[in-house]
Amino acid sequence: MQYYSTRNKGLRYTAAEAIKLGLSREGGLLTPCDFPHITEKFLRELTTLSYQERTARVLELYLTDYSREELLQFAENAYNVEKFDTKEIAPVRTLNEHTCCLELWHGPTSAFKDMALQMLPQLLSAALRKTGEEQKACILAATSGDTGKAAMEGFADVKQTRIMVFYPENGVSAIQEAQMVTQEGMNVGVCAVKGNFDDAQTGVKRIFSDEEIREQLAERGFFLSSANSINWGRILPQVVYYISAYCDLLKTGKIATGKRVNFCVPTGNFGDILAAYYAKRMGLPVGMLICASNRNHVLTDFLSTGVYDRNRTFHTTSSPSMDILVSSNLERLLFDLSGGNDQEIHGYMKSLAEEGRYQVSQQILTELRTQFWGGFCDETGTTETIARYYREYGYVMDPHTAVAAQVLEQYRAATGDKTPAVIVSTASPYKFCDCVLTAIGEEPVGEGVALLDQLYAATGMPIPARLAALEGKKRRFHDTCEQAEMNRAVLDFLR
Ligand SMILES: *Cc1c(COP(=O)(O)O)cnc(C)c1O
């Protein structure tokens, strides 16, 4: 299987090259040239397999330059009971007759980013070997909280790599900051940036396009790479859990062979829901893909009008990983829906860069509307939903998951669609103790790690061991810099 760029179909890459590059030279996203097809028989076979085996069986369809044995080994290294607190890895919980929750936060950092970031470092290391790369990868990430920690956890002590994470000084939750500044590993670095997430993100993007620093890095034996969801090696492992969830529903008799399910996904950068679309594209029986947003509902508006417009106020919400105005992975979807028209996509992205907006063709809009439904949930709706699901089902949700749960209700009310639906649950409620405690009617006492015990006392839900272990853990990183000093921070880190 080969890969090409959404903005230039002329150049072709192997899977290993695509994963190593992260992003195409002209700024496009690397995307498979065609999609493998899965059958009912394939799905039936998968139902009897473990999550690790399912992973190898799905990944080998795309990563044709990796062997099944290799992929199975990676999956076993990534998803095991030392790292995950359940042997099911990505369990599906039943809420009611028509609704389930796919829990993706049982990994080492308690957010769904682990599902991909436990695999990516291994795929990347193998890619370096396969392409005969002698330089070391310097991975840079700007994070609003979850990506940075999950990326460091995945890359910690991985040979031939260094990883540096920048987070906004006052823009992440107390737990998230504690998780990052206590990170272990000889090859990791963390630095707070004065400003908000956009400042950190802009700083990282500037480093990527700075020829001078690339040269300085090359002299020290490094090339730049990305752990963000623009990397194909992050999207692909996410396709697996949609297929796996479907197999679990088949296995437990919740759905019959060939019957469709809907997925409702809390969305930020559009990576997670794109993986659901790819699973559908491969032939998984999926009905509607429901795209859930918070107050930053640029995607809801886009799905209703066909106009993507980032010129609007940015809101900080209780679901910070969805506080985003430019959803990078939408580009891959539009590329596919346009029938692979790289010139058309190039035009949209140019317009986004220059004017902050673009309008898609009628053809794309029609196609979008048959497969996607968009809705958003505000702050009151989020806390009200956490409270209600706790009351009705004894189920504790984090704010991102609650946004999805509420948008699913809106979808059902608006369409009357009774297809069984899976809510994608992206974070442990323990990452957002403050918000969850308040929602269920408890007054938070103290802050950060101190609230873990309070949430436990209130709900009886087990505290993820690694979050509990943060208490009293030694802080390793203390640096703060201005955006303009980020280059220097990277060079110092690689000294
Ligand atoms: C990253 C993240 C999301 C958004 O996922 P995208 O792939 O960016 O759409 C949702 N919830 C949580 C908890 C996240 O960390």
Side-chain angles (χ1 to χ4, degrees):
M1 163 104 43
Q2 291 200 302
Y3 293 79
Y4 52 26
S5 160
T6 49
R7 299 187 201 174
N8 177 0
K9 292 207 294 185
L11 302 169
R12 306 259 165 152
Y13 303 93
T14 62
E17 285 166 338
I19 288 168
K20 187 173 94 178
L21 280 174
L23 189 67
S24 187
R25 286 271 163 208
E26 80 298 342
L29 305 189
L30 295 163
T31 303
C33 296
D34 42 45
F35 286 89
H37 198 75
I38 57 177
T39 58
E40 273 179 14
K41 177 164 166 288
F42 179 88
L43 291 172
R44 262 201 314 278
E45 279 168 22
L46 253 54
T47 56
T48 62
L49 302 182
S50 65
Y51 192 82
Q52 297 78 353
E53 290 165 325
R54 289 174 184 176
T55 301
R57 292 292 301 274
V58 174
L59 262 53
E60 72 177 352
L61 302 172
Y62 287 93
L63 306 181
T64 44
D65 41 348
Y66 292 65
S67 70
R68 183 184 289 184
E69 293 68 40
E70 205 175 9
L71 293 170
L72 185 57
Q73 186 60 57
F74 295 166
E76 282 167 357
N77 299 340
Y79 310 125
N80 59 55
V81 287
E82 262 126 65
K83 290 179 165 170
F84 281 70
D85 63 17
T86 163
K87 73 176 194 327
E88 297 161 279
I89 307 299
V92 178
R93 309 272 187 235
T94 304
L95 289 183
N96 61 34
E97 200 189 334
H98 305 290
T99 318
C100 296
C101 228
L102 169 59
E103 294 181 350
L104 300 176
W105 40 262
H106 290 278
T109 77
S110 303
F112 94 97
K113 303 288 196 293
D114 289 326
M115 299 304 296
L117 282 163
Q118 284 296 315
M119 280 302 279
L120 176 67
Q122 305 187 73
L123 296 173
L124 179 67
S125 281
L128 298 179
R129 277 199 308 277
K130 288 173 197 292
T131 57
E133 180 63 59
E134 283 172 0
Q135 292 216 309
K136 287 168 280 203
C138 169
I139 291 128
L140 298 184
T143 182
S144 60
D146 290 330
T147 301
K149 173 64 185 179
M152 285 192 289
E153 192 66 37
F155 278 101
D157 293 325
V158 170
K159 274 198 288 223
Q160 224 183 329
T161 70
R162 292 284 208 104
I163 174 159
M164 176 136 204
V165 166
F166 293 98
Y167 69 92
E169 192 180 23
N170 298 311
V172 301
S173 82
I175 300 257
Q176 288 173 322
E177 180 168 37
Q179 282 185 302
M180 288 190 278
V181 298
T182 58
Q183 176 66 44
E184 292 167 20
M186 295 302 289
N187 63 338
V188 307
V190 179
C191 186
V193 180
K194 296 213 172 85
N196 61 24
F197 170 64
D198 267 333
D199 298 317
Q201 165 118 310
T202 309
V204 166
K205 284 190 178 155
R206 217 191 40 228
I207 296 175
F208 268 89
S209 57
D210 182 338
E211 279 307 323
E212 197 183 317
I213 190 165
R214 274 183 188 274
E215 272 170 35
Q216 289 170 307
L217 291 180
E219 278 165 24
R220 295 170 195 215
F222 289 94
F223 71 93
L224 287 175
S225 189
S226 164
N228 285 110
S229 59
I230 50 176
N231 193 316
W232 175 245
R234 262 197 66 181
I235 300 295
L236 181 57
Q238 299 182 189
V239 175
V240 178
Y241 51 70
Y242 290 102
I243 297 176
S244 175
Y246 189 89
C247 291
D248 285 347
L249 293 173
L250 272 183
K251 192 174 175 177
T252 51
K254 295 235 166 57
I255 49 166
T257 304
K259 284 278 182 273
R260 292 176 176 217
V261 297
N262 292 339
F263 285 103
C264 182
V265 189
T267 301
N269 218 6
F270 211 80
D272 205 2
I273 196 167
L274 177 79
Y277 169 79
Y278 284 157
K280 181 179 185 192
R281 185 79 163 69
M282 293 166 73
L284 189 73
V286 176
M288 206 51 123
L289 294 166
I290 301 154
C291 174
S293 301
N294 63 22
R295 246 185 113 190
N296 297 293
H297 47 79
V298 59
L299 286 166
T300 314
D301 297 347
F302 172 63
L303 290 170
S304 88
T305 62
V307 176
Y308 194 98
D309 192 349
R310 65 159 302 181
N311 302 305
R312 57 180 74 209
T313 309
F314 177 93
H315 301 287
T316 302
T317 73
S318 56
S319 44
S321 298
M322 299 159 75
D323 292 345
I324 187 159
L325 294 180
V326 178
S327 301
S328 313
N329 273 298
L330 187 59
E331 180 170 348
R332 284 192 168 107
L333 175 68
L334 299 179
F335 177 75
D336 198 48
L337 294 181
S338 72
N341 189 335
D342 52 353
Q343 287 318 302
E344 183 177 344
I345 302 306
H346 191 87
Y348 296 150
M349 294 306 135
K350 188 157 176 279
S351 160
L352 182 65
E354 286 166 6
E355 292 150 47
R357 72 193 294 279
Y358 59 86
Q359 175 161 21
V360 294
S361 69
Q362 192 55 46
Q363 178 240 328
I364 289 186
L365 182 58
T366 308
E367 194 56 38
L368 270 173
R369 283 195 178 142
T370 59
Q371 307 207 48
F372 289 84
W373 193 89
F376 72 95
C377 172
D378 63 14
E379 292 295 278
T380 327
T382 306
T383 45
E384 184 273 326
T385 306
I386 295 173
R388 193 154 42 81
Y389 278 73
Y390 184 53
R391 216 169 42 234
E392 281 178 23
Y393 306 109
Y395 192 82
V396 193
M397 283 179 171
D398 98 290
H400 302 78
T401 308
V403 165
Q406 209 268 352
V407 169
L408 175 62
E409 292 171 6
Q410 290 178 33
Y411 168 76
R412 285 176 165 160
T415 62
D417 185 355
K418 296 207 165 51
T419 309
V422 177
I423 297 166
V424 177
S425 177
T426 50
S428 161
Y430 279 103
K431 275 196 118 161
F432 304 94
C433 293
D434 209 318
C435 168
V436 175
L437 279 167
T438 312
I440 63 173
E442 299 276 328
E443 172 103 30
V445 181
E447 61 163 30
V449 185
L451 295 179
L452 294 170
D453 290 331
Q454 195 187 349
L455 187 56
Y456 175 69
T459 64
M461 182 183 180
I463 305 176
R466 294 196 192 215
L467 294 186
L470 285 173
E471 219 154 349
K473 198 162 179 195
K474 198 165 165 296
R475 181 172 184 144
R476 285 187 67 202
F477 301 98
H478 303 269
D479 292 349
T480 301
C481 73
E482 299 282 348
Q483 191 201 64
E485 298 164 346
M486 286 169 66
N487 282 20
R488 175 57 35 210
V490 172
L491 291 169
D492 285 350
F493 169 62
L494 297 179
R495 206 185 286 287

